[in-house]
């Protein structure tokens, strides 16, 4: 249950930032290398938020492509499969630029009623 643990981390972050206010939507950015199954993540989210202050809050997932940068020629490659080789020159001397993200991008809080 990889997604459940991941989701728990998101819930913890959101609860810390919600500051007791109702949260309507949470946007997260998840890197390709995290190997997250979207449906599984949504299911975990509903499971973890049910009966809590976050119940009914929408989880919007933005998937971030895995990008490597070649140390030999400087070319950036977006990976479909996790094989770390430059598509331009074939060098394996590459640096992972993106793909490992797990980031809560934004938390939409309900406006406070005065
Ligand atoms: Zn290269």
């Amino acid at each position: 249950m990889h997604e459940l643990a991941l989701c728990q981390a998101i819930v913890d972050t959101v609860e810390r930032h919600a500051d007791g206010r109702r949260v309507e939507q949470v946007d997260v950015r998840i890197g390709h290398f995290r190997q997250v199954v979207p449906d599984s993540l949504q299911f975990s989210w509903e499971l973890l938020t049910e009966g809590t202050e976050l119940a009914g809050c929408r989880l919007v997932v933005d998937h971030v492509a895995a990008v490597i940068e070649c140390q030999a020629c400087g070319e950036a490659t977006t990976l479909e499969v996790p094989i770390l080789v430059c598509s331009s020159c074939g060098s394996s001397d590459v640096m992972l630029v993106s793909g490992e993200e797990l980031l809560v991008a934004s938390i939409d809080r309900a406006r406070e009623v005065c």
Side-chain angles (χ1 to χ4, degrees):
M1 288 303 279
H2 167 68
E3 281 80 4
L4 195 64
L6 206 77
C7 220
Q8 186 61 60
I10 297 169
V11 168
D12 289 346
T13 305
V14 173
E15 281 180 340
R16 251 200 323 276
H17 289 87
D19 209 15
R21 275 172 289 185
R22 205 165 72 82
V23 178
E24 292 179 334
Q25 183 174 312
V26 174
D27 292 280
V28 291
R29 290 165 63 82
I30 294 175
H32 189 70
F33 277 15
R34 289 272 173 176
Q35 311 264 315
V36 169
V37 180
D39 285 354
S40 213
L41 193 70
Q42 287 293 344
F43 177 77
S44 301
W45 176 254
E46 279 164 33
L47 198 78
L48 289 171
T49 57
E50 201 186 327
T52 72
E53 284 182 349
L54 292 175
C57 173
R58 281 205 308 147
L59 182 71
V60 179
V61 179
D62 180 16
H63 290 274
V64 181
V67 177
I68 55 167
E69 191 179 279
C70 180
Q71 305 299 285
C73 75
E75 190 75 18
T77 303
T78 300
L79 302 175
E80 294 301 325
V81 286
I83 299 169
L84 304 180
V85 175
C86 174
S87 66
S88 180
C89 73
S91 171
S92 59
D93 183 16
V94 294
M95 192 177 75
L96 188 64
V97 177
S98 74
E100 283 192 306
E101 284 90 346
L102 170 62
L103 189 76
V104 176
S106 80
I107 298 169
D108 284 357
R109 287 177 293 213
R111 274 183 205 178
E112 283 177 284
V113 181
C114 299

